[in-house]
Amino acid sequence: MAAAGLQPAGARPAPRPRGGPQQFDVVAGGLAAQGVALLAEVLAAAARLEGYPVQYWLDSAEARLGGGVRVHLRLGPAPSPKVSRGAAQVLIGLETAEALRLAPFLADGGLAVVSTHAWPTLDAKLGRRPYPDAAAVAAALAGRAGRVATLDLARIAVEGAAPEAPPRGGEALAALGALTALWPGVDRESVVRVLRDRMGAEADAAVEVCLAGYRAVAGDE
Amino acid sequence: MSRDPVVAVAGVNVGALAPETEALLSGNQAIARGAIEAGVTLAIGYPGAPASEAVEACLPAAGSELRVEWAVNEKVAFEIAAGVAWSGKRALCAMKMSGLNVAADSVLAVAASGVNGGLVLVVADDPSAYYGMVEQDSRYYALMGALPLLEPATPQEALDFTRMAFDVSERTGAPILLRTTTVLAQSVGLVIGRPTERTRVRGTFAFDPDRYTKAGAARCLAQHKGALARVREVGRLLEPLVKQEAGAGRTGAIGVGVAWCHLLEARARVAPDAPLLKLPASYPLPEKAVAGFLAGLERVLIVEELEPVVETAVRALAAHRPGLRVLGKLAAVGADAAASSGGVAGPANGALLSRVGEYDVDVVAAALASAVGTWPTAARPAGPVGSGPASQGTAARGTSAAASGTPVAASSTSAVGGTEGRDAEGARGLGQRAAGGTAALGGAEGAARSAAAAGEMAAVAAGCAGTAGRPPVFPAGCPHRGTYMALQQALSSLGLGLRDVVVTGDVGCAVLGALEPFSACATEVSMGASIGVAQGFAYAGAGKAVVAMIGDGSFFHAGLPALVGAVHRQVDLTLLVLDNGATCMTGGQAHPGSPVQADGTRQIRIEDVLRACQVRRVTVVDPYDLRRTATAIMGAVKSRGVSAVIARRACEAFLPEPPAPPLQVRPNRCVGVAACQNSCIAVTACPALQVDEAGKARIEASACVGCRLCEAVCPTRAIRRPWRLGAAGRGR
């Protein structure tokens, strides 16, 4: 089982957002091919199943240039497609520095799910600049976040899909599973249902990876 | 299965959506759905984010009643659409803002003539320049060409406005410009469609040179007059689309496009009493509705991204209302300027919003709070990083007071604008962005959070300085990497340094050769411009040699005329065509040089075109073969006249077959990245190459596609294919 780090463990999850004109915002980021767009599509569809008004904005402008991909996901009636700074109850970072880029959007007491995977830039690889590892990101977020979960999402994706190859966007699927264990905003069953409906031939593998992400946080049921 | 790095579930077939059933669609998909509902018979364009998907989303619906295709460039796309619309059928044409510049000559001419069938031209502007082009406001084309606009704010409006645009176009005879921006085009929201119209119209065209030619001034003047009359008629039809949010306040705001959504949310946060007016378009301005809205106001804030198009028009309307202050991004004059130093917390010149960068709720809330006079002067945010006038000053370099936790004084000259920034400043920007954002909460809460957030994020910045910026890089296996490596080798073999020659770049993936470690391309102007610019450098004698880099898409798009001119003038230049078989930067769309497509195209080979244009030396090479590619480039550089090298290999991201097995590093042979004189990482900048804990090169198996360029440059022969190490696998 892949390791999951939770800091601080004592923080309680927010109450389940049901009823009323509440607004729940999620920001997620990663690199090309890690599945940020997939994460947004699945999470939005799952949230819609549960009755939320949903919208999201995807910035994938640099996806084909090795750049970061980000999404602002809004569950609730707010009209703008973009999340305000300090407003996101959830931050999902599929890569360390990309998680850090989203840090200004995290609300006080929010939840951060951060991959331990770092994909350093050329400057960092050549020793010209430092590059944050998961511990540095967790430490940076800890002052604001109520809870920071650091997970080896790449490993969870590989192990969750074994013996088959992980599906496209495996790290995002693992993050979705972990999110359903940590945040009561969206049900795991809704996420699984969306994956089964939409992932075609990859549905079984996608569900397995998602559930592996869930178990990495919640343990075996 | 494509290995396109934009991983998403299977695309929605917008044509197959059941009417009256909700779906999650992007703004672009909603436009496609609206066009299909309207019975469009042609959807055409040229690939260019953020507009491509408006055409692409029509593809699944293509058939006998709907033709969907990519044209060779935007001008041609629009001309084809115009021919369809002049024949009485409905046509949709989509392009990004820079494409509209290419098409503009024809767009303005057709706007003057008017149309018969509905013609909707979708153009996507890109505030904040997400896609790395000129940050322009295409609405000025509407004013220039008497071309009525529609500006949806949400995906649902994108659908509704598109459908309606076809009706308005046919009723008035005016082509309609449907303008979106990146955020709307790529925002996904709940959309409900309606049944599809069946408009089986047989194409007919009546000979009428008065209308369809510009032969003679009298015809041109009559057409101009007619176009202006159509604009007035469209304005009358659009008046009912104006929406108002009532409020008792004496300060109101007007929004258009996606900025309206930010304004609506900002109002709830900082000015719940402010009356709001939503415009369906900037041109023609619904003057009656606007004048009525202004009647009871003392101040009005205009919220629109990029240029002050609406603001200028509203100021003209308000000229007879000396007591009314129009606020936005234009500097106040006269009495306004004097008043602004006392009444409204903000810059002394009265500008509350920036013409640079896109907006969000935080930005608009700050401006609205200033407009209504509730902005706490101590908490006014600094200009955001990477956008707005402030970004050119010290604030952008991380030395602003906000970044250090000190509130910015009200005397700052920064206008609020832009959002999270697309700066390469690294994590230093985070502190400023956080400060600006939380300060936008307004009131004491905003001030307190501003200081806290600035301090907190400054700590983040201190710990991780320089990490947030991620320069673009050729993906693993990109054939262009080999071309640029070969160019370096060729020049070196000729005794030339990179700065001894002038290498002109072009739009698309190819221009990444401007960045480290290649640092080759000195310029990027527009599609196809590398050849003409190179000709100018050759005329000026700016280098010992001149090399023009051009992608295959750009070659067909607008490179051909320049090529013909250079050959005609016998210019000494080397043309390097980076041919990856498709328009890969925008998603792998086909162009005339692409392999034959399923809908019955004919492949036009670039080498045949070059030879037909009398380019004497044409060589085709595989850019994964560094030695042969370098040799070909050397030969071309030494030749007189125009010489061409076509570096041809398909883009890995769009190949259906799996990649070659990943390569491996023999740790005992690798001397370490820092110690190596010619390290694979420094030479190739391949993202699949990483550094292990011992400081040696490591290949990320999940990213490597086995191109072997790193193997070719490793001085210690530490990189090998798996079979050389005894593992199973195949070479390529």
Side-chain angles (χ1 to χ4, degrees):
Chain A
M1 179 61 64
L6 301 177
Q7 312 174 357
R12 296 181 64 82
R16 186 173 182 75
R18 293 286 194 194
Q22 298 180 85
Q23 183 67 37
F24 294 91
D25 294 334
V26 177
V27 291
L31 296 179
Q34 285 189 310
V36 175
L38 177 69
L39 183 151
E41 287 182 54
V42 174
L43 197 52
R48 187 62 192 144
L49 283 178
E50 299 185 24
Y52 291 101
V54 296
Q55 64 173 326
Y56 64 89
W57 165 63
L58 177 70
D59 169 15
S60 60
E62 295 180 347
R64 296 187 179 95
L65 303 174
V69 181
R70 292 170 291 163
V71 67
H72 289 201
L73 179 71
R74 311 206 71 184
L75 316 181
S80 171
K82 298 185 76 175
V83 173
S84 294
R85 295 161 191 76
Q89 287 89 346
V90 175
L91 182 158
I92 301 171
L94 302 182
E95 197 271 348
T96 55
E98 297 306 313
L100 200 58
R101 277 160 64 91
L102 293 172
F105 292 95
L106 187 63
D108 288 337
L111 165 70
V113 178
V114 179
S115 171
T116 58
H117 191 68
W119 203 281
T121 58
L122 178 62
D123 272 352
K125 287 189 282 189
L126 295 177
R128 298 172 187 158
R129 288 192 180 205
Y131 201 83
D133 58 15
V137 176
L141 292 172
R144 174 177 291 184
R147 194 171 200 182
V148 180
T150 54
L151 297 159
D152 188 344
L153 295 172
R155 187 173 155 198
I156 294 170
V158 170
E159 293 180 355
E164 304 298 323
R168 295 172 302 154
E171 289 152 280
L173 295 167
L176 273 173
L179 179 64
T180 61
L182 292 163
W183 189 58
V186 175
D187 271 339
R188 180 176 41 136
E189 288 75 15
S190 300
V191 171
V192 169
R193 184 175 154 193
V194 171
L195 292 175
R196 291 210 183 282
D197 283 349
R198 298 192 176 203
M199 290 294 286
E202 291 183 301
D204 287 344
V207 170
E208 286 306 315
V209 171
C210 178
L211 294 179
Y214 176 86
R215 290 192 299 270
V217 175
D220 294 320
E221 290 183 332
Chain B
M1 180 191 302
S2 163
R3 297 196 296 280
D4 188 348
V6 180
V7 178
V9 294
V12 179
N13 182 349
V14 299
L17 296 175
E20 312 303 338
T21 303
E22 75 170 31
L24 279 166
L25 299 184
S26 70
N28 276 332
Q29 290 172 325
I31 288 170
R33 171 68 191 185
I36 291 168
E37 285 184 8
V40 70
T41 63
L42 173 72
I44 195 167
Y46 186 82
S52 311
E53 199 186 11
V55 172
E56 227 155 31
C58 293
L59 278 168
S64 59
E65 295 180 10
L66 171 59
R67 176 184 278 268
V68 184
E69 66 185 44
W70 298 113
V72 71
N73 66 29
E74 295 88 351
K75 180 172 180 287
V76 175
F78 183 78
E79 289 153 0
I80 295 169
V84 168
W86 276 351
S87 303
K89 294 192 169 191
R90 292 184 167 185
L92 177 87
C93 184
M95 57 193 66
K96 67 186 300 179
M97 70 290 170
S98 38
L100 182 53
N101 302 337
V102 175
D105 199 4
S106 294
V107 170
L108 269 54
V110 172
S113 293
V115 293
N116 302 316
L119 177 56
V120 177
L121 173 57
V122 177
V123 62
D125 280 345
D126 189 22
S128 280
Y130 285 88
Y131 291 93
M133 301 289 284
V134 172
E135 191 185 45
Q136 72 177 47
D137 193 327
S138 296
R139 294 178 296 171
Y140 281 128
Y141 280 108
L143 279 70
M144 198 189 322
L147 188 61
L149 265 172
L150 274 172
E151 297 175 74
T154 65
Q156 181 68 61
E157 278 195 354
L159 188 156
D160 295 339
F161 281 19
T162 303
R163 183 173 175 139
M164 183 182 57
F166 282 101
D167 289 333
V168 171
S169 178
E170 285 184 359
R171 287 178 65 178
T172 63
I176 303 295
L177 185 61
L178 188 92
R179 185 239 193 183
T180 68
T181 57
T182 299
V183 166
L184 172 61
Q186 299 180 339
S187 286
V188 174
L190 293 168
V191 171
I192 296 177
R194 285 184 286 166
T196 300
E197 290 180 24
R198 294 292 171 194
T199 53
R200 291 175 184 273
V201 177
R202 185 175 176 181
T204 58
F205 178 69
F207 179 77
D208 185 358
D210 285 347
R211 185 174 175 196
Y212 299 114
T213 78
K214 305 288 185 282
R219 286 188 169 108
C220 296
L221 296 180
Q223 288 177 18
H224 190 187
K225 192 174 177 181
L228 292 171
R230 289 191 290 272
V231 168
R232 285 193 293 274
E233 175 65 4
V234 171
R236 191 184 62 77
L237 293 173
L238 297 187
E239 286 273 354
L241 295 180
V242 178
K243 293 180 184 173
Q244 192 163 345
E245 295 282 332
R250 305 291 284 174
T251 299
I254 297 175
V256 64
V258 77
W260 164 258
C261 300
H262 308 322
L263 175 61
L264 202 55
E265 192 166 334
R267 177 216 200 199
R269 188 190 295 179
V270 299
D273 290 339
L276 304 183
L277 189 74
K278 178 186 183 299
L279 302 180
S282 309
Y283 179 80
L285 191 76
E287 293 185 358
K288 190 175 166 186
V290 173
F293 177 73
L294 297 177
L297 298 180
E298 295 172 355
R299 298 172 187 160
V300 63
L301 174 71
I302 313 299
V303 183
E304 57 186 327
E305 289 180 314
L306 299 178
E307 298 302 315
V309 176
V310 172
E311 185 179 341
T312 303
V314 170
R315 281 174 181 255
L317 268 182
H320 67 286
R321 289 273 321 276
L324 175 66
R325 295 184 53 211
V326 181
L327 305 168
K329 53 192 86 186
L330 291 175
V333 294
D336 279 359
S340 73
S341 62
V344 177
N349 69 357
L352 298 181
L353 288 159
S354 173
R355 296 160 80 154
V356 181
E358 69 178 5
Y359 296 168
D360 60 17
V361 178
D362 297 325
V363 166
V364 176
L368 184 59
S370 290
V372 299
T374 61
W375 190 260
T377 54
R380 181 171 179 76
V385 178
S387 57
S391 70
Q392 297 160 22
T394 54
R397 293 189 289 273
T399 57
S400 76
S404 60
T406 306
V408 176
S411 60
S412 162
T413 56
S414 304
V416 182
T419 55
E420 64 210 71
R422 304 186 52 74
D423 56 292
E425 290 290 314
R428 283 185 298 177
L430 293 174
Q432 298 157 34
R433 294 199 285 268
T438 51
L441 290 165
E445 181 193 3
R449 290 188 62 181
S450 170
E456 174 191 327
M457 297 317 297
V460 173
C464 308
T467 59
R470 186 177 293 279
V473 62
F474 289 125
C478 177
H480 299 346
R481 173 177 288 106
T483 306
Y484 280 102
M485 290 168 65
L487 174 64
Q488 287 180 326
Q489 289 186 6
L491 295 178
S492 176
S493 297
L494 292 169
L496 296 170
L498 266 177
R499 300 287 82 87
D500 292 329
V501 301
V502 180
V503 181
T504 57
D506 214 285
V507 174
C509 323
V511 81
L512 294 189
L515 306 177
E516 277 199 292
F518 311 108
S519 304
C521 298
T523 63
E524 179 191 15
V525 177
S526 63
M527 295 282 283
S530 63
I531 301 173
V533 174
Q535 183 169 343
F537 282 127
Y539 282 174
K544 293 178 180 172
V546 176
V547 179
M549 313 293 289
I550 192 166
D552 45 351
S554 294
F555 176 82
F556 286 106
H557 179 283
L560 275 172
L563 171 71
V564 171
V567 174
H568 175 60
R569 288 292 170 189
Q570 303 190 69
V571 179
D572 291 334
L573 71 82
T574 297
L575 176 64
L576 261 175
V577 185
L578 294 87
D579 181 7
N580 54 16
T583 319
C584 292
M585 176 79 100
T586 54
Q589 296 88 351
H591 58 60
S594 300
V596 173
Q597 303 296 298
D599 57 349
T601 59
R602 182 171 186 144
Q603 183 179 15
I604 298 169
R605 297 168 68 87
I606 292 174
E607 55 268 42
D608 294 343
V609 174
L610 289 167
R611 290 181 181 121
C613 291
Q614 300 181 27
V615 176
R616 288 180 190 157
R617 184 188 181 97
V618 179
T619 314
V620 182
V621 293
D622 177 355
Y624 279 4
D625 186 338
L626 282 182
R627 187 179 57 81
R628 288 194 60 196
T629 304
T631 302
I633 295 172
M634 287 170 61
V637 171
K638 289 189 291 186
S639 299
R640 300 302 304 270
V642 177
S643 300
V645 175
I646 302 170
R648 174 172 293 149
R649 178 170 273 270
C651 179
E652 279 285 336
F654 300 102
L655 286 176
E657 67 265 24
L663 276 67
Q664 296 173 355
V665 176
R666 288 186 282 188
N668 59 326
R669 278 185 173 260
C670 178
V671 298
V673 174
C676 187
Q677 295 298 310
N678 199 43
S679 89
C680 51
I681 290 176
V683 173
T684 70
C686 177
L689 287 163
Q690 299 290 329
V691 184
D692 70 12
E693 291 168 354
K696 298 189 175 186
R698 173 180 67 81
I699 292 176
E700 181 73 36
S702 64
C704 179
V705 299
C707 73
R708 303 181 63 190
L709 290 172
C710 55
E711 179 187 348
V713 298
C714 177
T716 61
R717 302 170 68 85
I719 299 175
R720 281 293 180 266
R721 285 173 287 169
W723 66 268
R724 298 288 293 270
L725 297 174
R730 63 173 177 81
R732 177 174 282 197

